[in-house]
Amino acid sequence: HGMDSQIVIVGCGISGIGAALKLTKHGFRNVRILEATGRSGGRIKTGKMGNNIIEIGANWIHGPSEANPVFCLSRQYSLLDPESLTPENQDLAIGGHPPWVPNWFSSSGHKLTPELMGPAVELFAEVLEEGGEFSEQGGEPYSSVGEFIRTEVRQRAAERWQGDSLSCQSVRLSLISTLLKAECCVNGTHTLDTLGLGAFGLYKTLPGLDCTFPRGYEGLIDNLMKELPAGIVSYHRPVSCVHWQRVVRKGGREYPVVLECEDGERIPADHVILTVPLGYLKKHHGTLLSPPLPLHKLHSVQRMGFGTNNKIFVEFDQPWWDDDCEVIYLVWEDESDLVDQVSDVERLWIKKLFGFTVLKPTERYGHVLCGWIAGHESEFMETLPEQDVTHSVTHLIRRFTGNPTITPRRVLRSQWFHDPWTCGSYTYTATGTSLQDIHNLAEPLPQQGEQPLQVLFAGEATHPSFFSTVHGALLTGWREAGRLISHYSAPSTFQPTRS
Ligand code: 6YU
């Protein structure tokens, strides 16, 4: 059958769309996408706060340069600001940490100076970079990224800052706690104690200074969707079970797979590309596949990490930060013991919010901040009524600025953990994981036999070096489409060569 084979893609995020585009452009005639929600884009989701556009999900193109397919497509669709397109911008190697201009505020209501904070910033950056250098085979001297950073920071801080006053040492260590919490957001993990040290270096950064979409990330999705044949996506169509290793007859043909939808419809297929998030797979693997996942694959699903990172957008009439400020760090003076989690989630969850990034340019956004909060504290925050979140954030800002009159105009937060089709934010390499686990996640079922490639796996979690990103997800969609294309082009005992 070749180009007539039935290919069903589960999920209309960037990986599912990427796979569908590559397959249809190659000439496959029976490709369809089943999407649980009423929209395309998945974790790429642009929203509104008043007249401002805000990103509820993915925020930046990480490493916008020639090797990044998301950058190349966005440039082609004219979705980027001219500054993002310059060669200087593409050449900047920032190693995943953009050189943003910081402001620091303390829990006693003071602004902290660069002279005081600088040494802590440098020390943290230095240790963090070394954390990525432990190779897979070389052995891990510490049990996690968290333990490594804390041990090294304590040691080096004691040596380097011994001449400084105790209060100076203490506030610098408190800033390190804030930076640990920020790193929890970057990695989408509850604490750096669950982030594997050996696997930390797997994530690769591309050159280019991270950029945003002036008219929203979803513009990329809209443009890609226009290139797909009309009507190939069925919305509000959650798949409840993928039955593989079957022989299903329909219209005089046999199919190895049948998809069962929540509404009871049964759809036969030759190949299924599953792009559901790892968080969803962790929760539903027992019912989503029948027969179930082979054990080595299941264990990798369980070992790999999938955590929560949420945003809290806050709009003000007037800025309380410097004109050139790009990121605001909140430093709790009682946190010199290098902590990245709170002792009592319900009472102290707001302490996990490390600070805010400033939405720029001001002419476009006005005075809007994006707060970042990861982990169980973030998952608890999702359960609170919006006015409770507003109240906590208002109180927090009044305390750190020492200004009891500041009142946000509007507050809006994301709730990725309670999104039933995502169950969190993105993938991280947990302690005990290695590259092999990602390969296991990506392995198709079955690999060999008379009916190979019945179920294929795409999505950000299946990319060996760009997991947790949009470009990683897109590349996995293309990869799985490519796998089917080669399958039908390669000479084989069972298939006549190409159509
Ligand atoms: C990036 C960024 N970014 C912030 C936040 C989030 C994410 N990412 P999808 O989920 O999109 O699609 C699956 C579809 O399947 C979906 O539509 C479902 O509805 C559907 N589905 C589920 N179940 C179904 C069923 N049963 N039946 C039918 N359909 C079903 N990435 O590049 N830049 O700034 C951010 C950020 C808050 C939540 C991000 C960012 C991650 C991306 O959004 C994400 O990877 C892709 O969109 C996923 O696409 P997909 O197709 O795989 O799934 C040093 C170091 C360390 C390591 N990491 C550092 C990297 C930093 C990561 N950065 C992230 C940061 C932010 C802020």
Side-chain angles (χ1 to χ4, degrees):
H1 41 279
M3 294 301 119
D4 286 322
S5 58
Q6 294 283 342
I7 304 176
V8 179
I9 298 166
V10 181
C12 197
I14 189 88
S15 61
I17 297 168
L21 266 172
K22 183 154 174 153
L23 289 166
T24 52
K25 286 198 170 160
H26 186 78
F28 284 94
R29 287 179 284 271
N30 297 310
V31 178
R32 57 185 295 199
I33 304 180
L34 305 179
E35 167 55 45
T37 70
R39 54 178 286 278
S40 309
R43 282 171 273 173
I44 295 176
K45 189 174 184 182
T46 306
K48 280 222 139 184
M49 187 162 81
N51 291 325
N52 287 323
I53 59 133
I54 49 166
E55 302 291 1
I56 317 279
N59 218 78
W60 296 280
I61 302 182
H62 291 307
S65 50
E66 294 302 330
N68 187 328
V70 170
F71 172 69
C72 294
L73 282 170
S74 308
R75 175 175 58 188
Q76 199 179 306
Y77 295 134
S78 309
L79 300 174
L80 303 177
D81 274 335
E83 307 87 77
S84 323
L85 300 172
T86 60
E88 301 79 63
N89 204 88
Q90 290 182 53
D91 287 343
L92 275 175
I94 54 151
H97 290 83
W100 289 328
V101 176
N103 278 185
W104 301 275
F105 291 86
S106 81
S107 51
S108 57
H110 297 105
K111 214 160 158 220
L112 301 166
T113 63
E115 293 70 38
L116 185 58
M117 296 290 95
V121 172
E122 278 162 35
L123 175 54
F124 187 80
E126 168 190 315
V127 175
L128 187 68
E129 200 185 319
E130 288 175 27
E133 289 164 4
F134 294 97
S135 71
E136 288 280 293
Q137 290 78 19
E140 302 169 24
Y142 299 94
S143 62
S144 65
V145 172
E147 203 204 308
F148 168 72
I149 295 182
R150 278 199 306 270
T151 314
E152 291 298 319
V153 162
R154 279 201 189 102
Q155 224 166 57
R156 297 181 205 190
E159 287 162 18
R160 290 181 204 178
W161 304 339
Q162 51 180 316
D164 300 307
S165 71
L166 285 179
S167 68
C168 157
Q169 295 186 37
S170 166
V171 74
R172 282 181 187 157
L173 290 171
S174 298
L175 172 63
I176 304 269
S177 292
T178 305
L179 297 174
L180 289 169
K181 293 180 230 168
E183 212 43 40
C184 288
C185 291
V186 169
N187 290 277
T189 185
H190 170 56
T191 156
L192 299 189
D193 296 353
T194 50
L195 197 59
L197 186 56
F200 192 48
L202 287 179
Y203 181 80
K204 297 284 181 288
T205 56
L206 293 167
L209 181 63
D210 294 7
C211 66
T212 56
F213 289 79
R215 293 179 304 281
Y217 227 127
E218 258 190 64
L220 174 63
I221 299 294
D222 297 342
N223 276 278
L224 291 170
M225 290 305 290
K226 281 190 202 130
E227 294 197 30
L228 277 178
I232 81 161
V233 188
S234 305
Y235 294 102
H236 301 293
R237 188 65 65 89
V239 171
S240 50
C241 187
V242 177
H243 302 270
W244 55 294
Q245 303 280 51
R246 303 289 152 121
V247 183
V248 185
R249 286 188 186 79
K250 192 176 177 184
R253 268 206 49 202
E254 284 184 355
Y255 300 88
V257 188
V258 60
L259 290 104
E260 187 183 334
C261 298
E262 239 170 50
D263 61 10
E265 203 194 338
R266 295 172 80 87
I267 301 167
D270 294 295
H271 309 282
V272 173
I273 303 181
L274 258 192
T275 77
V276 301
L278 176 63
Y280 182 89
L281 199 54
K282 277 176 176 284
K283 198 166 169 185
H284 299 288
H285 66 83
T287 47
L288 187 64
L289 287 130
S290 170
L293 288 171
L295 275 184
H296 69 287
K297 231 171 134 70
L298 172 62
H299 288 157
S300 293
V301 166
Q302 292 170 331
R303 268 197 298 270
M304 284 293 288
F306 196 80
T308 303
N309 179 21
N310 274 307
K311 308 179 180 183
I312 306 179
F313 292 95
V314 196
E315 187 179 353
F316 299 90
D317 294 323
Q318 291 302 324
W320 44 271
W321 52 92
D322 292 348
D323 263 355
D324 63 345
C325 170
E326 293 172 300
V327 58
I328 296 167
Y329 292 103
L330 305 177
V331 181
W332 291 85
E333 288 179 352
D334 62 351
E335 286 188 347
S336 60
D337 50 346
L338 308 187
V339 283
D340 62 4
Q341 43 188 330
V342 308
S343 53
D344 177 349
V345 169
E346 298 194 9
R347 210 163 48 86
L348 302 172
W349 65 270
I350 193 87
K351 287 184 86 177
K352 187 66 167 267
L353 189 138
F354 83 77
F356 303 90
T357 49
V358 184
L359 269 59
K360 299 258 172 162
T362 308
E363 309 84 70
R364 189 179 292 150
Y365 289 103
H367 308 296
V368 183
L369 299 180
C370 175
W372 296 87
I373 179 165
H376 303 325
E377 296 86 345
S378 188
E379 291 161 8
F380 175 72
M381 177 278 292
E382 290 187 24
T383 66
L384 296 172
E386 203 154 71
Q387 70 255 33
D388 290 14
V389 176
T390 304
H391 176 83
S392 296
V393 170
T394 306
H395 188 76
L396 179 82
I397 291 165
R398 288 180 178 172
R399 172 170 180 170
F400 278 77
T401 54
N403 178 344
T405 64
I406 294 181
T407 305
R409 213 193 264 174
R410 254 190 290 254
V411 175
L412 205 146
R413 43 87 196 258
S414 62
Q415 292 168 294
W416 285 104
F417 182 69
H418 288 87
D419 180 316
W421 312 109
T422 316
C423 314
S425 299
Y426 39 86
T427 301
Y428 66 90
T429 43
T431 49
T433 58
S434 69
L435 185 58
Q436 186 59 47
D437 289 301
I438 304 181
H439 286 318
N440 288 350
L441 292 188
E443 184 187 289
L445 297 174
Q447 276 189 299
Q448 281 140 11
E450 218 165 304
Q451 296 272 12
L453 310 186
Q454 294 174 27
V455 190
L456 301 95
F457 295 80
E460 54 86 11
T462 71
H463 197 283
S465 49
F466 300 144
F467 51 86
S468 78
T469 67
V470 173
H471 55 285
L474 176 61
L475 288 167
T476 66
W478 287 351
R479 178 190 69 207
E480 295 311 312
R483 202 190 293 273
L484 288 174
I485 291 168
S486 342
H487 173 65
Y488 285 106
S489 354
S492 91
T493 6
F494 308 109
Q495 291 296 327
T497 331
R498 76 193 68 214
S499 63

